[in-house]
Amino acid sequence: MGTGTGVGTALRTSAELGEGPTWDATAGRLIWVDILGARVHTFDPASGNRTVMSTEQHVGAAKPRAAGGLVVNLRDGVGLYDAEGRFSWLHHAPSPGRRGNDAAVAPDGALWAGSMCYDETPGGGTLLRLAPDGTATTVLDDVTVSNGTGWSPDGKRMYYIDTPTRRIDVFDVHEGGSRVTGRRPLAEVEEGAGYPDGLTVDADGCVWVALWDGAAVRRYTPEGALDR
């Protein structure tokens, strides 16, 4: 995005609740989801090719897999579609009134998958770490709307958003990525500016945050200063 000049519309589309844009570098395509429409979209900007895949449940996030296919954060847990489109569950844990929301792939290949209640019950969601060997660990169990998650370029910090807190939080990462400690605020979004939602971390270690109901994207430095 750079200085903010030259920003335009890459693709005009519609969704009930569009979320989670993810660049699949191997395939050269953009992946995103329509959560409530239960669809996974892809777009190849080089060819203009678009695909839409329906899922059997509401889908909070879809990420590319090294072996091909997609891992998806669904209503009742985390599943995968292999390269041929066959579905299987990786972690099946239904909870009435709750669904998967945003998710992110850590440097070690683990999937950190968040959840939330449909009615946004305070503390009704979780943040789960699904290790490459399939082991599932609940990292946070008092989350309201689990959203953006990302890591510093050196892998020593993890950034995280629980949207109603209005904060971007930071953790220290240990044991190769399997454990985080020292949760603390990096930055707080002021009243009236919107709510922090998705995030990504750039090569400079700065944190880009999309503001829901704020019509904006912000970049914060690793020290928490609003950079642009």
Side-chain angles (χ1 to χ4, degrees), residues 158-180:
M158 187 183 86
Y159 300 100
Y160 176 69
I161 290 171
D162 180 3
T163 293
T165 67
R166 291 186 175 273
R167 298 193 315 266
I168 301 98
D169 288 341
V170 58
F171 294 78
D172 298 312
V173 178
H174 307 278
E175 299 169 17
S178 62
R179 189 169 66 90
V180 293

Side-chain angles (χ1 to χ4, degrees), residues 18-161:
E19 286 269 0
T22 300
W23 180 250
D24 181 354
T26 301
R29 63 178 182 170
L30 185 71
I31 303 167
W32 76 98
V33 299
D34 179 355
I35 296 178
L36 299 181
R39 292 179 174 87
V40 177
H41 295 256
T42 72
F43 171 59
D44 180 338
S47 66
N49 185 50
R50 300 171 60 178
T51 69
V52 181
M53 180 183 75
S54 295
T55 55
E56 293 186 6
Q57 297 184 351
H58 291 162
V59 54
K63 306 296 177 182
R65 300 177 62 237
L70 297 169
V71 61
V72 287
N73 195 20
L74 298 172
R75 184 193 67 202
D76 293 343
V78 177
L80 67 85
Y81 289 93
D82 66 17
E84 284 72 47
R86 295 181 294 253
F87 177 81
S88 61
W89 286 106
L90 291 175
H91 177 70
H92 190 225
S95 178
R98 193 171 74 188
R99 66 166 175 83
N101 203 44
D102 205 356
V105 180
D108 66 351
L111 183 79
W112 291 66
S115 63
M116 59 176 287
C117 289
Y118 280 95
D119 64 2
E120 299 186 16
T121 298
T126 64
L127 179 64
L128 177 85
R129 178 182 182 267
L130 193 65
D133 65 4
T135 302
T137 305
T138 299
V139 180
L140 299 174
D141 59 4
D142 186 20
V143 174
T144 301
V145 180
S146 188
N147 252 315
T149 308
W151 290 263
S152 60
D154 62 8
K156 294 180 178 180
R157 286 177 145 204
M158 187 183 86
Y159 300 100
Y160 176 69
I161 290 171

Side-chain angles (χ1 to χ4, degrees), residues 151-154 157 159 186 200-208 219-223:
W151 290 263
S152 60
D154 62 8
R157 286 177 145 204
Y159 300 100
L186 175 78
T200 192
V201 183
D202 67 21
D204 297 324
C206 293
V207 183
W208 293 81
R219 188 174 95 151
Y220 292 92
T221 69
E223 294 72 42

